[in-house]
Amino acid sequence: MSTAAESLNIPERSLDAAEATLLLPFGLDTRALQGVLGSIMAHDVDLADLYFQYTRSEGWSLEEGQVKSGSFAIEQGVGVRAVSGDKTAFAYSDEIGAGALESAAKATRAIARQGGEGRAALIRRGPARALYPALDPLASLADTQKVALLERLERFARDLDPRITQVVAGLAGEYEVVLVVRHDGLMAADVRPLVRVSLQVIAEQDGRREQGTAGGGGRVDYGRFDDALLRHYAERAVHQAITNLDARPAPAGTMTVVLGPGWPGILLHEAIGHGLEGDFNRKGSSVFSGRLGQAVAAPGVTVVDDGTIASRRGSLNVDDEGNPTRRTVLIENGILAGYLQDSLNARLMGVQPTGNGRRESYAHVPMPRMTNTIMLNGDRDPAEILASVDRGLYAANFGGGQVDIVSGKFVFSAAEAWMIEGGRLTYPVKGATLIGSGPEVLKRVSMIGNDMCLDPGVGTCGKEGQSVPVGVGQPTLRIDALTVGGTA
């Protein structure tokens, strides 16, 4: 049994692990890092940082009972950034060492003004916390056990229904160590485990083939995937595939739409969340620009971005600029309350960073990004919401989608949807797409359920060519007068 003191040492061990992984093997210490930052600051930049990263990842895929693919990769490097005004100079190297750092630092000086102080603050260890264990998930199971896990998942899916003719199961894990050192002296580290299971099934009946998908994960190890959870994934995927075998063509037109809880929050993420990121609002290109304090949603709508939820896929102990993540209220009771900020945009907008500076890797610059974006609970029973709809569409799960940040317009396809008639679900439909504008959707939310839940841990967000893991969540929502594109 671990003591309280040992638990408190977990964040400290993250810093020790980062130094042992990213500095000591390359002959680097805090004095050398301070010298590199000082050489950048000699050119009077507003901020500078070094971002070290080590990542070890693997992926396994099982199809028709056989391992179809397996991958293993190790990546490490350092990114050097200098910011002057609204200009950013950035260089990176997949070599870590004094020479590589100095070369990268020289490459960033082109944007800088002359006449700086020529020094950086003394390096200090920043505050840390433990939202997830500082462990290596790849080592939590032997390779044979990883394959056996996928075999059990396939068996669970096939045993549920004889119409399942094809099963593809995947397992992925990542162990990432990051170290951020800034010109103001802050040194922060994070050890980030990440695992995910994915499942795709094909069902066939009378010459018709439909697919279903499921999965989940988080910042834990493979021990998370016990047989009960694997059975749950199998049930979800098979249910979706079998449901779609009986689906009729979706109708088209303007109608009431009810969104289910959890993963349908991806519509909130895409259609609304990106428009609340600081860079779009500083540049005036978001539909939410300049609207702080104004009503942008129906009363009762409260949206937060929370990077502090334990073990969630979108959570981080610190962001990729060394700032602690936090719970940021974006919309409160329908009123626009804030934006998501990294250091650069926060400084230019005269506000504080919100811990949302994220980057895909050491080879990318940070930018404001979401973590776990959630609409909070209302006070309505989900059954009451469904019963209130005479005719409409219930979207239980989503597939892909597109959104335009400037206009807020979106198109999303429903992976599982049902017709609502007389206040109850009557039959599944296929080919339904939801078309609308993020700000308009917020205003048309007329009922908010009390069943908020988070997605199972599968989200990945893309922005300007960079991908990062994220989470979403919401309760059941009734949205009035939303355009549905169908196939009927």
Side-chain angles (χ1 to χ4, degrees):
M1 180 181 294
S2 63
T3 66
E6 288 172 336
S7 297
L8 290 175
N9 283 333
I10 291 175
E12 190 67 21
R13 289 205 300 269
S14 294
L15 253 172
D16 292 340
E19 290 185 87
T21 303
L22 293 164
L23 298 184
L24 296 180
F26 308 100
L28 297 173
D29 56 20
T30 55
R31 179 177 297 181
L33 302 184
Q34 189 174 347
V36 172
L37 288 168
S39 70
I40 299 173
M41 298 304 292
H43 291 256
D44 194 24
V45 299
D46 293 306
L47 66 88
D49 58 24
L50 313 176
Y51 181 84
F52 298 85
Q53 179 188 27
Y54 170 87
T55 304
R56 188 166 66 250
S57 60
E58 68 175 358
W60 299 82
S61 176
L62 188 80
E63 184 175 352
E64 301 304 306
Q66 297 182 347
V67 176
K68 288 295 185 181
S69 66
S71 62
F72 182 83
I74 295 177
E75 183 180 22
Q76 64 183 23
V78 59
V80 180
R81 179 177 64 143
V83 177
S84 178
D86 62 354
K87 297 180 295 183
T88 297
F90 179 73
Y92 67 91
S93 172
D94 56 8
E95 295 182 9
I96 299 176
L101 276 174
E102 186 54 40
S103 295
K106 287 180 181 178
T108 67
R109 295 173 190 160
I111 66 160
R113 302 178 296 266
Q114 296 296 320
E117 296 181 355
R119 64 176 183 270
L122 292 175
I123 291 177
R124 68 188 190 283
R125 290 189 165 209
R129 58 191 166 181
L131 298 173
Y132 34 82
L135 53 77
D136 179 2
L138 280 65
S140 61
L141 287 181
D143 289 350
T144 54
Q145 294 174 306
K146 296 167 188 174
V147 174
L149 183 155
L150 295 178
E151 290 173 337
R152 294 198 305 278
L153 180 58
E154 180 187 38
R155 185 171 67 252
F156 293 153
R158 289 190 179 279
D159 288 348
L160 284 169
D161 196 291
R163 289 171 288 182
I164 299 300
T165 59
Q166 185 176 351
V167 179
V168 179
L171 181 68
E174 182 176 283
Y175 172 68
E176 181 181 61
V177 182
V178 301
L179 179 68
V180 183
V181 188
R182 302 193 318 212
H183 74 283
D184 62 1
L186 178 75
M187 181 169 70
D190 203 1
V191 176
R192 301 169 176 171
L194 189 64
V195 296
R196 177 177 172 178
V197 157
S198 59
L199 176 66
Q200 180 185 54
V201 302
I202 301 294
E204 292 190 29
Q205 177 179 280
D206 301 329
R208 181 170 175 174
R209 303 174 80 244
E210 297 289 349
Q211 75 169 16
T213 59
R219 296 199 179 277
V220 291
D221 64 19
Y222 292 138
R224 164 71 172 157
F225 304 118
D226 58 18
D227 282 359
L229 186 55
L230 295 180
R231 284 193 178 93
H232 173 71
Y233 294 156
E235 289 166 358
R236 293 296 304 158
V238 171
H239 166 78
Q240 186 182 115
I242 298 303
T243 295
N244 284 332
L245 281 177
D246 297 324
R248 307 178 195 176
T254 299
M255 64 185 73
T256 299
V257 173
V258 177
L259 303 182
W263 178 246
I266 190 63
L267 188 151
L268 177 79
H269 167 104
E270 294 288 358
I272 299 161
H274 280 297
L276 297 175
E277 291 168 339
D279 48 356
F280 297 125
N281 288 280
R282 176 178 66 83
K283 299 171 184 176
S285 59
S286 168
V287 290
F288 295 104
S289 297
R291 301 191 63 189
L292 286 175
Q294 297 180 19
V296 296
V301 172
T302 296
V303 179
V304 303
D305 186 85
D306 192 345
T308 70
I309 308 173
S311 301
R312 295 300 303 180
R313 180 175 171 85
S315 295
L316 301 170
N317 286 313
V318 295
D319 72 1
D320 294 328
E321 297 180 308
N323 295 312
T325 55
R326 70 186 201 189
R327 183 179 185 271
T328 301
V329 178
L330 300 172
I331 299 172
E332 186 170 17
N333 195 24
I335 305 299
L336 184 59
Y339 302 125
L340 300 175
Q341 301 287 3
D342 63 347
S343 294
L344 184 154
N345 289 282
R347 177 177 54 83
L348 294 174
M349 295 179 74
V351 297
Q352 293 297 311
T354 58
N356 289 91
R358 305 190 63 185
R359 60 179 103 197
E360 180 177 320
S361 76
Y362 68 89
H364 300 82
V365 295
M367 63 182 78
R369 306 290 299 273
M370 286 171 276
T371 56
N372 304 297
T373 310
I374 303 159
M375 182 181 292
L376 301 188
N377 266 332
D379 59 1
R380 298 300 187 96
D381 185 285
E384 177 191 3
I385 295 176
L386 195 64
S388 73
V389 181
D390 182 56
R391 184 178 184 276
L393 183 81
Y394 178 76
N397 206 350
F398 277 123
Q402 296 179 352
V403 63
D404 184 290
I405 301 300
V406 176
S407 67
K409 294 181 179 179
F410 63 81
V411 178
F412 274 88
S413 61
E416 179 185 345
W418 295 73
M419 283 302 298
I420 308 171
E421 295 175 325
R424 63 186 184 89
L425 303 182
T426 51
Y427 58 89
V429 296
K430 183 175 174 59
T433 58
L434 305 186
I435 305 166
S437 162
E440 289 302 314
V441 164
L442 287 178
K443 295 174 182 176
R444 294 176 183 175
V445 173
S446 59
M447 300 178 76
I448 304 174
N450 59 10
D451 58 340
M452 194 283 289
C453 66
L454 301 174
D455 78 281
V458 298
T460 298
C461 173
K463 177 180 175 180
E464 296 183 18
Q466 294 192 43
S467 296
V468 296
V470 296
V472 298
Q474 70 171 40
T476 298
L477 299 178
R478 171 176 163 152
I479 303 173
D480 295 334
L482 186 61
T483 301
V484 176
T487 54

